[in-house]
Amino acid sequence: MTTTATELDQPYAVSPGAVDQYAADGYVKLRGVLSPDVVAHYEPEITEQVLRINTQHLPLAERNTYSRAFLQVENLWRHSDAVREFVFSRRLAGIAAQLLGVPSVRLYHDQALYKEAGGGFTPWHVDQHYWPLSTDRTVTAWIPLQDTPTELGPLTFAAGSHRSGYGRELEISDESEAKLDTFVTESGFRVDDSPYAIGDVSFHSGWTIHRAPGNSSTTPRRVITVIYMDAAIEIAPPANPFQQGDLAAFLGNRAPGTVADGPLNPVLH
């Protein structure tokens, strides 16, 4: 096992304060979860797979709002042993389990979100609109593969919005941006758009309202996310066409009411 792979499996001590912050705010940003050397080791392979698998080739000016926001490539772990090593990190999964307060977590899926130079904003939205899962015991690790100052488009959270129940029927779109922006402003949620240093990782709930500004720099914002779920979570009947698609893509079309324990969803911690 390589030194970098060994670090990926070493535990990270999540403080009680960080667990409390996650429960209260629906997200937490943890500093120095990964060393710069680990990020630098895996970034070239992740980027190579993104560029190889990506199917979006229209110029930015010819895309809609969602497509201008980023290049999105899912389940990279199935295409590369090195990416699999990264995505299956026990260090990251252990943090997810501690934040959720569960004994163990499974992989839901990974996805790369590469915001190109000049790429547009990511609209306000909630993730779990897309997931046919029975509880809110889900968390996404958002892992930048470089320093991410404001101009690159860091992930931005509306703190405490996961408890509001608002906007859960909205797909990510110009409509979700407009409606949720008004809601976030009028509700007085604290908005956290602080930058990330390389090695920082944020974790957010499936119902936390979040967005990202556009990338006004001349370099891409390279990010991989890993989505975890309580290892005991059950599949819910799909509530919309997106959840039907996720059921097929990430859950092997397993029957609602059964534990999401198929071959695509290994226990990682």
PDB file of all heavy atoms in Angstrom, residues 16-41:
ATOM      1  N   PRO A  16     -16.191  17.104  19.104  1.00  0.00           N
ATOM      2  CA  PRO A  16     -17.608  17.228  19.445  1.00  0.00           C
ATOM      3  C   PRO A  16     -18.219  18.532  18.930  1.00  0.00           C
ATOM      4  O   PRO A  16     -19.387  18.565  18.537  1.00  0.00           O
ATOM      5  CB  PRO A  16     -17.608  17.176  20.974  1.00  0.00           C
ATOM      6  CG  PRO A  16     -16.373  16.398  21.322  1.00  0.00           C
ATOM      7  CD  PRO A  16     -15.358  16.796  20.287  1.00  0.00           C
ATOM      8  N   GLY A  17     -17.428  19.603  18.904  1.00  0.00           N
ATOM      9  CA  GLY A  17     -17.927  20.868  18.391  1.00  0.00           C
ATOM     10  C   GLY A  17     -18.280  20.797  16.925  1.00  0.00           C
ATOM     11  O   GLY A  17     -19.273  21.400  16.484  1.00  0.00           O
ATOM     12  N   ALA A  18     -17.472  20.051  16.139  1.00  0.00           N
ATOM     13  CA  ALA A  18     -17.755  19.900  14.713  1.00  0.00           C
ATOM     14  C   ALA A  18     -19.022  19.078  14.496  1.00  0.00           C
ATOM     15  O   ALA A  18     -19.817  19.378  13.596  1.00  0.00           O
ATOM     16  CB  ALA A  18     -16.568  19.247  14.019  1.00  0.00           C
ATOM     17  N   VAL A  19     -19.218  18.049  15.311  1.00  0.00           N
ATOM     18  CA  VAL A  19     -20.447  17.243  15.217  1.00  0.00           C
ATOM     19  C   VAL A  19     -21.656  18.109  15.544  1.00  0.00           C
ATOM     20  O   VAL A  19     -22.682  18.062  14.849  1.00  0.00           O
ATOM     21  CB  VAL A  19     -20.372  16.028  16.154  1.00  0.00           C
ATOM     22  CG1 VAL A  19     -21.698  15.270  16.149  1.00  0.00           C
ATOM     23  CG2 VAL A  19     -19.238  15.098  15.731  1.00  0.00           C
ATOM     24  N   ASP A  20     -21.532  18.924  16.573  1.00  0.00           N
ATOM     25  CA  ASP A  20     -22.635  19.817  16.950  1.00  0.00           C
ATOM     26  C   ASP A  20     -22.899  20.845  15.857  1.00  0.00           C
ATOM     27  O   ASP A  20     -24.068  21.172  15.577  1.00  0.00           O
ATOM     28  CB  ASP A  20     -22.308  20.527  18.263  1.00  0.00           C
ATOM     29  CG  ASP A  20     -22.304  19.599  19.474  1.00  0.00           C
ATOM     30  OD1 ASP A  20     -22.834  18.468  19.367  1.00  0.00           O
ATOM     31  OD2 ASP A  20     -21.746  19.990  20.520  1.00  0.00           O
ATOM     32  N   GLN A  21     -21.846  21.372  15.258  1.00  0.00           N
ATOM     33  CA  GLN A  21     -22.027  22.356  14.196  1.00  0.00           C
ATOM     34  C   GLN A  21     -22.737  21.731  12.996  1.00  0.00           C
ATOM     35  O   GLN A  21     -23.626  22.344  12.399  1.00  0.00           O
ATOM     36  CB  GLN A  21     -20.690  22.942  13.743  1.00  0.00           C
ATOM     37  CG  GLN A  21     -20.871  24.031  12.680  1.00  0.00           C
ATOM     38  CD  GLN A  21     -19.568  24.521  12.086  1.00  0.00           C
ATOM     39  OE1 GLN A  21     -18.497  24.309  12.650  1.00  0.00           O
ATOM     40  NE2 GLN A  21     -19.646  25.173  10.927  1.00  0.00           N
ATOM     41  N   TYR A  22     -22.354  20.505  12.653  1.00  0.00           N
ATOM     42  CA  TYR A  22     -23.014  19.825  11.542  1.00  0.00           C
ATOM     43  C   TYR A  22     -24.506  19.649  11.829  1.00  0.00           C
ATOM     44  O   TYR A  22     -25.354  19.897  10.961  1.00  0.00           O
ATOM     45  CB  TYR A  22     -22.362  18.465  11.280  1.00  0.00           C
ATOM     46  CG  TYR A  22     -23.040  17.693  10.176  1.00  0.00           C
ATOM     47  CD1 TYR A  22     -22.767  17.964   8.845  1.00  0.00           C
ATOM     48  CD2 TYR A  22     -23.998  16.723  10.471  1.00  0.00           C
ATOM     49  CE1 TYR A  22     -23.412  17.286   7.828  1.00  0.00           C
ATOM     50  CE2 TYR A  22     -24.650  16.040   9.458  1.00  0.00           C
ATOM     51  CZ  TYR A  22     -24.349  16.327   8.141  1.00  0.00           C
ATOM     52  OH  TYR A  22     -25.006  15.660   7.132  1.00  0.00           O
ATOM     53  N   ALA A  23     -24.833  19.249  13.041  1.00  0.00           N
ATOM     54  CA  ALA A  23     -26.244  19.057  13.396  1.00  0.00           C
ATOM     55  C   ALA A  23     -27.012  20.373  13.342  1.00  0.00           C
ATOM     56  O   ALA A  23     -28.156  20.410  12.882  1.00  0.00           O
ATOM     57  CB  ALA A  23     -26.348  18.434  14.790  1.00  0.00           C
ATOM     58  N   ALA A  24     -26.389  21.449  13.777  1.00  0.00           N
ATOM     59  CA  ALA A  24     -27.072  22.737  13.838  1.00  0.00           C
ATOM     60  C   ALA A  24     -27.168  23.406  12.474  1.00  0.00           C
ATOM     61  O   ALA A  24     -28.211  23.985  12.128  1.00  0.00           O
ATOM     62  CB  ALA A  24     -26.338  23.656  14.817  1.00  0.00           C
ATOM     63  N   ASP A  25     -26.084  23.349  11.702  1.00  0.00           N
ATOM     64  CA  ASP A  25     -25.993  24.111  10.457  1.00  0.00           C
ATOM     65  C   ASP A  25     -26.270  23.288   9.207  1.00  0.00           C
ATOM     66  O   ASP A  25     -26.493  23.846   8.131  1.00  0.00           O
ATOM     67  CB  ASP A  25     -24.602  24.738  10.334  1.00  0.00           C
ATOM     68  CG  ASP A  25     -24.343  25.818  11.368  1.00  0.00           C
ATOM     69  OD1 ASP A  25     -25.327  26.300  11.975  1.00  0.00           O
ATOM     70  OD2 ASP A  25     -23.172  26.178  11.583  1.00  0.00           O
ATOM     71  N   GLY A  26     -26.224  21.963   9.323  1.00  0.00           N
ATOM     72  CA  GLY A  26     -26.421  21.116   8.148  1.00  0.00           C
ATOM     73  C   GLY A  26     -25.181  20.973   7.307  1.00  0.00           C
ATOM     74  O   GLY A  26     -25.227  20.397   6.214  1.00  0.00           O
ATOM     75  N   TYR A  27     -24.065  21.485   7.803  1.00  0.00           N
ATOM     76  CA  TYR A  27     -22.784  21.336   7.103  1.00  0.00           C
ATOM     77  C   TYR A  27     -21.667  21.647   8.097  1.00  0.00           C
ATOM     78  O   TYR A  27     -21.895  22.280   9.147  1.00  0.00           O
ATOM     79  CB  TYR A  27     -22.674  22.291   5.904  1.00  0.00           C
ATOM     80  CG  TYR A  27     -22.290  23.699   6.288  1.00  0.00           C
ATOM     81  CD1 TYR A  27     -20.967  24.116   6.241  1.00  0.00           C
ATOM     82  CD2 TYR A  27     -23.245  24.592   6.758  1.00  0.00           C
ATOM     83  CE1 TYR A  27     -20.619  25.401   6.647  1.00  0.00           C
ATOM     84  CE2 TYR A  27     -22.903  25.853   7.161  1.00  0.00           C
ATOM     85  CZ  TYR A  27     -21.578  26.263   7.104  1.00  0.00           C
ATOM     86  OH  TYR A  27     -21.230  27.521   7.514  1.00  0.00           O
ATOM     87  N   VAL A  28     -20.474  21.237   7.758  1.00  0.00           N
ATOM     88  CA  VAL A  28     -19.288  21.636   8.504  1.00  0.00           C
ATOM     89  C   VAL A  28     -18.101  21.610   7.549  1.00  0.00           C
ATOM     90  O   VAL A  28     -18.023  20.736   6.667  1.00  0.00           O
ATOM     91  CB  VAL A  28     -19.038  20.712   9.725  1.00  0.00           C
ATOM     92  CG1 VAL A  28     -18.678  19.288   9.288  1.00  0.00           C
ATOM     93  CG2 VAL A  28     -17.972  21.286  10.649  1.00  0.00           C
ATOM     94  N   LYS A  29     -17.218  22.585   7.681  1.00  0.00           N
ATOM     95  CA  LYS A  29     -15.981  22.626   6.889  1.00  0.00           C
ATOM     96  C   LYS A  29     -14.835  22.256   7.815  1.00  0.00           C
ATOM     97  O   LYS A  29     -14.617  22.913   8.832  1.00  0.00           O
ATOM     98  CB  LYS A  29     -15.775  24.014   6.288  1.00  0.00           C
ATOM     99  CG  LYS A  29     -16.847  24.382   5.278  1.00  0.00           C
ATOM    100  CD  LYS A  29     -16.690  25.793   4.746  1.00  0.00           C
ATOM    101  CE  LYS A  29     -15.558  25.902   3.760  1.00  0.00           C
ATOM    102  NZ  LYS A  29     -15.569  27.199   3.039  1.00  0.00           N
ATOM    103  N   LEU A  30     -14.132  21.193   7.448  1.00  0.00           N
ATOM    104  CA  LEU A  30     -13.038  20.690   8.272  1.00  0.00           C
ATOM    105  C   LEU A  30     -11.716  21.008   7.593  1.00  0.00           C
ATOM    106  O   LEU A  30     -11.537  20.742   6.396  1.00  0.00           O
ATOM    107  CB  LEU A  30     -13.185  19.188   8.489  1.00  0.00           C
ATOM    108  CG  LEU A  30     -14.485  18.748   9.179  1.00  0.00           C
ATOM    109  CD1 LEU A  30     -14.537  17.220   9.276  1.00  0.00           C
ATOM    110  CD2 LEU A  30     -14.617  19.385  10.555  1.00  0.00           C
ATOM    111  N   ARG A  31     -10.794  21.543   8.357  1.00  0.00           N
ATOM    112  CA  ARG A  31      -9.506  21.964   7.809  1.00  0.00           C
ATOM    113  C   ARG A  31      -8.502  20.812   7.850  1.00  0.00           C
ATOM    114  O   ARG A  31      -8.475  20.038   8.800  1.00  0.00           O
ATOM    115  CB  ARG A  31      -8.952  23.152   8.607  1.00  0.00           C
ATOM    116  CG  ARG A  31      -9.906  24.332   8.724  1.00  0.00           C
ATOM    117  CD  ARG A  31     -10.275  24.895   7.365  1.00  0.00           C
ATOM    118  NE  ARG A  31     -11.178  26.034   7.486  1.00  0.00           N
ATOM    119  CZ  ARG A  31     -11.732  26.650   6.453  1.00  0.00           C
ATOM    120  NH1 ARG A  31     -11.487  26.236   5.221  1.00  0.00           N
ATOM    121  NH2 ARG A  31     -12.548  27.666   6.637  1.00  0.00           N
ATOM    122  N   GLY A  32      -7.711  20.697   6.820  1.00  0.00           N
ATOM    123  CA  GLY A  32      -6.602  19.754   6.813  1.00  0.00           C
ATOM    124  C   GLY A  32      -7.014  18.302   6.919  1.00  0.00           C
ATOM    125  O   GLY A  32      -6.288  17.488   7.509  1.00  0.00           O
ATOM    126  N   VAL A  33      -8.150  17.950   6.336  1.00  0.00           N
ATOM    127  CA  VAL A  33      -8.572  16.545   6.361  1.00  0.00           C
ATOM    128  C   VAL A  33      -7.597  15.682   5.567  1.00  0.00           C
ATOM    129  O   VAL A  33      -7.279  14.553   5.946  1.00  0.00           O
ATOM    130  CB  VAL A  33     -10.002  16.411   5.790  1.00  0.00           C
ATOM    131  CG1 VAL A  33     -10.381  14.940   5.611  1.00  0.00           C
ATOM    132  CG2 VAL A  33     -10.998  17.105   6.705  1.00  0.00           C
ATOM    133  N   LEU A  34      -7.124  16.222   4.462  1.00  0.00           N
ATOM    134  CA  LEU A  34      -6.145  15.533   3.619  1.00  0.00           C
ATOM    135  C   LEU A  34      -4.897  16.388   3.513  1.00  0.00           C
ATOM    136  O   LEU A  34      -4.984  17.617   3.481  1.00  0.00           O
ATOM    137  CB  LEU A  34      -6.726  15.288   2.220  1.00  0.00           C
ATOM    138  CG  LEU A  34      -8.021  14.489   2.148  1.00  0.00           C
ATOM    139  CD1 LEU A  34      -8.556  14.466   0.718  1.00  0.00           C
ATOM    140  CD2 LEU A  34      -7.816  13.071   2.659  1.00  0.00           C
ATOM    141  N   SER A  35      -3.760  15.749   3.415  1.00  0.00           N
ATOM    142  CA  SER A  35      -2.535  16.515   3.225  1.00  0.00           C
ATOM    143  C   SER A  35      -2.448  16.986   1.778  1.00  0.00           C
ATOM    144  O   SER A  35      -2.987  16.344   0.865  1.00  0.00           O
ATOM    145  CB  SER A  35      -1.312  15.661   3.557  1.00  0.00           C
ATOM    146  OG  SER A  35      -1.106  14.673   2.559  1.00  0.00           O
ATOM    147  N   PRO A  36      -1.764  18.108   1.519  1.00  0.00           N
ATOM    148  CA  PRO A  36      -1.566  18.542   0.133  1.00  0.00           C
ATOM    149  C   PRO A  36      -0.926  17.468  -0.731  1.00  0.00           C
ATOM    150  O   PRO A  36      -1.236  17.363  -1.928  1.00  0.00           O
ATOM    151  CB  PRO A  36      -0.674  19.777   0.278  1.00  0.00           C
ATOM    152  CG  PRO A  36      -1.019  20.327   1.632  1.00  0.00           C
ATOM    153  CD  PRO A  36      -1.250  19.105   2.488  1.00  0.00           C
ATOM    154  N   ASP A  37      -0.044  16.654  -0.148  1.00  0.00           N
ATOM    155  CA  ASP A  37       0.611  15.594  -0.924  1.00  0.00           C
ATOM    156  C   ASP A  37      -0.390  14.548  -1.402  1.00  0.00           C
ATOM    157  O   ASP A  37      -0.292  14.049  -2.530  1.00  0.00           O
ATOM    158  CB  ASP A  37       1.699  14.915  -0.090  1.00  0.00           C
ATOM    159  CG  ASP A  37       2.936  15.780   0.079  1.00  0.00           C
ATOM    160  OD1 ASP A  37       3.074  16.785  -0.667  1.00  0.00           O
ATOM    161  OD2 ASP A  37       3.761  15.463   0.960  1.00  0.00           O
ATOM    162  N   VAL A  38      -1.353  14.207  -0.562  1.00  0.00           N
ATOM    163  CA  VAL A  38      -2.363  13.223  -0.965  1.00  0.00           C
ATOM    164  C   VAL A  38      -3.226  13.784  -2.090  1.00  0.00           C
ATOM    165  O   VAL A  38      -3.484  13.112  -3.095  1.00  0.00           O
ATOM    166  CB  VAL A  38      -3.243  12.823   0.243  1.00  0.00           C
ATOM    167  CG1 VAL A  38      -4.525  12.137  -0.219  1.00  0.00           C
ATOM    168  CG2 VAL A  38      -2.474  11.886   1.157  1.00  0.00           C
ATOM    169  N   VAL A  39      -3.655  15.022  -1.947  1.00  0.00           N
ATOM    170  CA  VAL A  39      -4.472  15.631  -2.998  1.00  0.00           C
ATOM    171  C   VAL A  39      -3.683  15.693  -4.302  1.00  0.00           C
ATOM    172  O   VAL A  39      -4.196  15.354  -5.377  1.00  0.00           O
ATOM    173  CB  VAL A  39      -4.941  17.032  -2.577  1.00  0.00           C
ATOM    174  CG1 VAL A  39      -5.737  17.688  -3.707  1.00  0.00           C
ATOM    175  CG2 VAL A  39      -5.801  16.956  -1.317  1.00  0.00           C
ATOM    176  N   ALA A  40      -2.425  16.114  -4.221  1.00  0.00           N
ATOM    177  CA  ALA A  40      -1.601  16.224  -5.429  1.00  0.00           C
ATOM    178  C   ALA A  40      -1.359  14.868  -6.078  1.00  0.00           C
ATOM    179  O   ALA A  40      -1.217  14.772  -7.305  1.00  0.00           O
ATOM    180  CB  ALA A  40      -0.266  16.890  -5.081  1.00  0.00           C
ATOM    181  N   HIS A  41      -1.327  13.818  -5.274  1.00  0.00           N
ATOM    182  CA  HIS A  41      -1.092  12.473  -5.814  1.00  0.00           C
ATOM    183  C   HIS A  41      -2.280  11.982  -6.642  1.00  0.00           C
ATOM    184  O   HIS A  41      -2.104  11.397  -7.718  1.00  0.00           O
ATOM    185  CB  HIS A  41      -0.821  11.503  -4.665  1.00  0.00           C
ATOM    186  CG  HIS A  41      -0.647  10.083  -5.089  1.00  0.00           C
ATOM    187  ND1 HIS A  41       0.538   9.588  -5.619  1.00  0.00           N
ATOM    188  CD2 HIS A  41      -1.519   9.036  -5.076  1.00  0.00           C
ATOM    189  CE1 HIS A  41       0.385   8.312  -5.913  1.00  0.00           C
ATOM    190  NE2 HIS A  41      -0.846   7.939  -5.594  1.00  0.00           N
TER     191      HIS A  41
END
